[in-house]
């Protein structure tokens, strides 16, 4: 099971009815699930009423690895909004999951941003905010 | 759409930069009237009006500057009225469509804002447009277009060997053009590569100088048929090629060099319609919300192999006196941010030879291009309209 880090997030988490189960499952069970199409067999992200690949509405949530490769990363150092000032720097990454979709998360335990390797294997780490009652995706180099 | 059937016949500017005491609505109206006067039309001739996207109300305005607010004050009743709720780029497509289907004769496209003194537009949006939390990404700390474009550029560093030293060239080239343009916000502010490199990263690998800044002011253009344009006072600036495309990726999901990017597809369509290739194009006016956007767009258009952007995107090549002039008014980066109307208006200015010290063909070693390529893009490089313009008779 993925590691859980206790954090303070800059904003409450806003989710949609369509993607809510991902975050609820992450928060309650620390499990990584993805939307999966039973018709064409492909995964997608975020959760939606139909499969983005084939358009079928025969979709389900399926437990996934939480592993992938880092596609890109940045390190925010400037408070574009006053609410994030105390949280800086915030590193953000995109990750191409082993299951296919490219997802978005906070990059954690990375050292110097300039030296983080592209395409390096990463795994999910849950970032849990107890006060706000929500959990988001973080990624850490394997 | 037929080659050269439609033309741009008028452009409208306003005072720009820091202009205190002016509402965004006032810039909408001034830019619109200036374009109408420039074309030699009367305001009642305008039967189609298209506004760029809506923004939250900033200081100085009492209403959203929507189509009905602006047309009421303009005192016109257009048959076709349209405004995007968000950052997609379909304005030229809609304007031409409204003329082609017989609804309109003269369509005015306008954008204005008071984001410099009326409070920063984008920050206000986070506070007011959606209320907190902003969206699903807010909790992650991703609240700016800046961050999304930085993600795109960061991957391109790995993919194509670009990086801050190349983006410094782009920033400096734009500034050198602006230093020749008295209307540009950065007209009297020179910039060197050393200045660029000495500034801090706001979101690594981007610095403040990689981004356009909010401004006060407005910009407008008028589109009609080339046939009608020939009866007006300005030389018609003909739309020889046009293309549009929309990518569905999120900003942070974008793939640098994607052959199916909106710029690549819109560019291919525009070249095909124009019957031209990259070698025929003498200059470019590229939507440059960020430095890397210029590199990505020209690369996707096929002006260079992406791994060789370093040889093409130099101050010497794209700056004043260079072999391939890009964003000759200073662009969004150094002239002023009016969405796609900054590059389109500068193309019209150059082709109609109204550019003074920065005029191509007047600057030693340059010539007036026969064909110019123009891009407008929206969202995070997701939406693109491309024009290839030529001077008509």
């Amino acid at each position: 099971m993925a590691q859980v880090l206790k954090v303070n997030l800059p904003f409450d988490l806003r989710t949609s009815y369509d993607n809510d189960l991902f975050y609820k499952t992450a928060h309650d069970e620390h499990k990584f699930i993805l939307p999966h199409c039973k018709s064409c067999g492909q995964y997608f992200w975020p959760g939606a009423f139909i499969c983005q690949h084939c358009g079928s509405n025969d979709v389900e949530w399926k437990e996934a690895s939480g592993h992938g490769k880092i596609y890109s990363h940045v390190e925010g150092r400037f408070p574009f909004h006053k609410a994030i000032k105390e949280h800086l720097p915030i590193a953000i990454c995109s990750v191409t999951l082993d299951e296919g979709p490219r997802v978005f998360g906070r990059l954690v335990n990375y050292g110097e941003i300039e030296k983080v390797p592209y395409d390096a294997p990463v795994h999910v780490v849950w970032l849990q905010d107890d006060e706000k009652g929500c959990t988001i995706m973080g990624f850490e180099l394997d | 759409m037929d080659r050269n059937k439609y033309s741009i016949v008028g452009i409208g500017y306003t005072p720009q930069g820091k202009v205190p005491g002016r509402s965004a609505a006032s810039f909408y109206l001034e830019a619109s009237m200036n374009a109408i006067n420039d074309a030699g039309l009367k305001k009642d001739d305008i039967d189609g009006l298209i506004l760029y996207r809506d923004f939250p109300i900033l200081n100085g305005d009492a209403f959203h500057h929507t189509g009905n607010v602006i047309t009421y004050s303009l005192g016109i009743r257009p048959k076709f009225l349209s405004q995007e709720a968000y950052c997609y780029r379909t304005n030229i497509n809609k304007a031409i469509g409204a003329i082609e289907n017989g609804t309109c004769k003269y369509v005015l496209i306008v954008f204005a804002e008071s984001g410099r003194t009326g409070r920063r537009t984008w920050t206000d949006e986070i506070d007011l447009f959606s209320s907190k939390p902003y969206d699903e990404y807010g909790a992650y700390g991703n609240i700016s277009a800046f961050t999304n474009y930085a993600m795109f550029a960061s991957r391109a560093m790995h993919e194509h060997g670009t990086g801050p030293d190349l983006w410094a060239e782009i920033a400096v080239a734009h500034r050198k053009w602006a230093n020749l343009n008295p209307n540009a916000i950065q007209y009297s502010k020179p910039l060197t590569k050393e200045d660029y490199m000495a500034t801090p990263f706001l979101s690594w690998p981007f610095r403040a100088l990689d981004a356009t800044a909010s401004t006060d002011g407005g910009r407008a253009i008028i589109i009609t048929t080339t046939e009608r344009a020939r009866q007006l006072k300005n030389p018609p600036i003909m739309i020889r090629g046009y293309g549009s495309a929309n990518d569905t990726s999120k900003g942070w999901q974008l793939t640098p060099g994607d052959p199916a990017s909106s710029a690549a597809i819109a560019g291919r369509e525009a070249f095909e319609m124009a019957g031209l290739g990259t070698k025929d194009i003498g200059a470019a006016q590229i939507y440059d919300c960020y430095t890397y956007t210029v590199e990505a767009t020209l690369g996707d258009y096929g002006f260079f192999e992406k791994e060789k952007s370093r040889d093409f995107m130099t101050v010497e090549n794209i700056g004043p006196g260079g072999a391939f002039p890009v964003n000759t008014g200073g662009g969004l980066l150094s002239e002023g941010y009016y969405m796609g109307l900054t590059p389109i208006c500068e193309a019209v200015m150059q082709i109609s030879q109204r550019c003074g010290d920065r005029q191509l063909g007047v600057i030693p070693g340059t010539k007036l291009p026969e064909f110019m390529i123009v891009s407008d893009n929206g969202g995070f490089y997701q939406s693109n309209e491309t024009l290839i313009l030529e001077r008509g008779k």
Side-chain angles (χ1 to χ4, degrees), chain A residues 10-12 14 19 23 71-75 77-78 80-81 90 93-94 102-104 106 114 118-119 137, chain B residues 126-127 130 133-134 136 138-140 142-143 146 150-151 154-155 158 202-204 252-256:
Chain A
F11 292 102
D12 289 338
R14 168 181 280 188
N19 209 31
Y23 287 106
Y71 185 74
S72 192
H73 49 275
V74 300
E75 187 181 74
R77 299 179 185 177
F78 179 77
F80 287 101
H81 188 278
I90 292 177
C93 63
S94 53
R102 193 174 293 163
V103 301
F104 173 90
R106 287 267 297 270
E114 289 88 343
Y118 296 84
D119 296 324
M137 274 182 279
Chain B
I126 295 169
D127 278 344
S130 313
Y134 180 45
E136 187 170 312
Y140 288 82
N142 178 13
I143 53 166
F146 198 97
M151 293 278 280
S154 168
R155 178 67 191 191
H158 173 68
L202 300 195
S203 188
W204 180 90
W252 52 266
Q253 280 179 322
L254 289 164
T255 301

Side-chain angles (χ1 to χ4, degrees), chain B residues 297-311:
Chain B
T297 306
L298 289 171
D300 280 352
Y301 283 166
F303 281 94
F304 48 82
E305 287 174 47
K306 301 196 173 73
E307 292 74 13
K308 293 181 179 162
S309 59
R310 203 165 281 280
D311 302 333

Side-chain angles (χ1 to χ4, degrees), chain B residues 243-318:
Chain B
S244 65
N246 291 284
D247 183 351
T248 56
S249 303
K250 308 242 186 267
W252 52 266
Q253 280 179 322
L254 289 164
T255 301
D258 181 357
S261 79
S262 58
I265 291 172
R268 279 199 294 274
E269 283 181 354
F271 280 118
E272 193 176 320
M273 175 176 154
L276 299 171
T278 51
K279 288 203 163 29
D280 301 309
I281 304 296
Q285 311 294 347
I286 300 298
Y287 186 89
D288 55 319
C289 49
Y290 295 88
T291 50
Y292 174 65
T293 318
V294 185
E295 178 188 346
T297 306
L298 289 171
D300 280 352
Y301 283 166
F303 281 94
F304 48 82
E305 287 174 47
K306 301 196 173 73
E307 292 74 13
K308 293 181 179 162
S309 59
R310 203 165 281 280
D311 302 333
F312 194 94
M313 303 301 295
T314 61
V315 176
E316 292 69 31
N317 191 44
I318 65 171

